């Protein structure tokens, strides 16, 4: 390779690294001038290499102020599912930094009991891991259909009857970090609860057992269910079940923002 071309390439590298240096004007000058520039540049790079690295960011500095877990409904593909639209609203309207991820579980209709049990365990594990990672972070749980079911079971205890063996709720020391809960079309919906919103007058297909009530989270929870929903109100209209985000996203967003402080 000719010397002129080689030094030109080397000199171009110096230009990229030191765009404000005077040497930028010497790109086409003789090789002896380029050599002197490279010597200065090498010294500068050496001094930078000798500079101690910045201290790594603390654990808390890597955490958003709020973290949202989204649990999808039955038969939705892996990920947050349709309720991601509510997560997006929270992120775009909150005054705080908000991170999110999805609950990783099967979301199967058959066998439903096994799927919901797996989902309940996943909620408890993922929330626990998040609290341990970011102990000052506020946790928001949002779920649709079976996703609403597993969130409720994680908080109040799950299983029983046709759903299989009962499981204990999330440890209270972890549950205390949960600031807001949104359930839409929960198959374990039970009428008469203070956190219920909607027109439903009948229990869901798997009504929550008395000792599994979300009493400890009543002031932090909104459970949306409308009359004739086949899953949360034992009705016959799938259209009702699929319409909660259209009907209640604004209400749910306002509730979450109030609970997390804006």
């Amino acid at each position: 390779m000719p010397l002129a071309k080689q030094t030109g390439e080397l000199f171009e590298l110096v230009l990229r690294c030191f765009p404000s240096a005077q040497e930028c004007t010497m790109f086409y000058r003789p090789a002896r001038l380029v050599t002197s520039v490279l010597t200065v540049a090498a010294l500068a790079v050496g001094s930078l290499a000798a500079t101690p690295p910045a201290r790594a960011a603390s654990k808390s500095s890597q955490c958003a102020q709020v973290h949202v877990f989204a649990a999808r409904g039955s038969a939705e593909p892996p990920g947050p599912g349709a309720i991601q639209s509510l997560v997006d609203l929270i992120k775009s309207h909150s005054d705080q930094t908000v991170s999110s991820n999805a609950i990783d579980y099967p979301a199967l209709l058959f066998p439903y009991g096994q799927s919901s049990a797996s989902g309940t365990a996943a909620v408890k594990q993922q929330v626990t891991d998040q609290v341990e990672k970011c102990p000052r972070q506020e946790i928001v749980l949002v779920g649709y259909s079976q996703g609403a079911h597993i969130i409720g079971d994680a908080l109040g205890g799950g299983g029983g009857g046709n759903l299989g063996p009962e499981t204990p709720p999330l440890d209270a020391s972890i549950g205390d970090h949960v600031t807001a809960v949104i359930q839409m079309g929960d198959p374990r919906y039970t009428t008469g609860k203070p956190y219920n919103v909607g027109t439903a007058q009948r229990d869901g297909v798997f009504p929550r057992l008395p000792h599994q009530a979300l009493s400890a989270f009543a002031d932090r929870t909104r459970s949306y269910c409308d009359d004739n929903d086949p899953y949360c109100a034992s009705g016959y209209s799938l259209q009702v079940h699929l319409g909660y985000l259209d009907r209640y996203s604004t209400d749910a967003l306002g509730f979450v923002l109030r609970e997390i402080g804006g």
Side-chain angles (χ1 to χ4, degrees), residues 38-202:
L38 292 175
T39 301
V40 173
L43 291 173
V45 172
S47 66
L48 288 174
T51 303
R55 181 179 297 177
S58 66
K59 180 188 291 186
S60 60
S61 69
Q62 299 172 12
C63 300
Q65 294 166 295
V66 177
H67 188 83
V68 183
F69 284 103
R72 73 192 191 277
S74 300
E76 288 193 276
I83 206 163
Q84 177 65 38
S85 64
L86 177 58
V87 178
D88 291 340
L89 286 174
I90 295 169
K91 288 183 174 181
S92 62
H93 286 78
S94 178
D95 296 328
Q96 305 186 64
T97 55
V98 181
S99 56
S100 68
N101 68 326
I103 299 299
D104 184 10
Y105 84 110
L108 300 175
L109 272 173
F110 306 102
Y112 186 88
Q114 292 180 24
S115 177
S116 60
S118 295
T120 301
V123 173
K124 291 193 287 187
Q125 187 62 60
Q126 288 181 236
V127 171
T128 298
D129 291 346
Q130 189 67 27
V131 169
E132 291 176 351
K133 175 185 174 184
C134 300
R136 297 182 179 179
Q137 195 173 59
E138 294 184 289
I139 302 295
V140 176
L141 304 176
V142 300
Y144 207 110
S145 194
Q146 188 177 167
H149 173 158
I150 64 174
I151 285 173
D153 278 9
L155 298 178
N162 292 332
L163 293 173
E166 292 191 30
T167 57
L170 193 66
D171 187 89
S173 64
I174 301 298
D176 286 344
H177 293 262
V178 177
T179 305
V181 180
I182 297 295
Q183 298 173 293
M184 293 185 169
D186 177 17
R188 303 212 72 183
Y189 181 89
T190 307
T191 58
K193 300 302 179 183
Y195 43 81
N196 291 346
V197 179
T199 61
Q201 300 297 315
R202 300 173 67 186

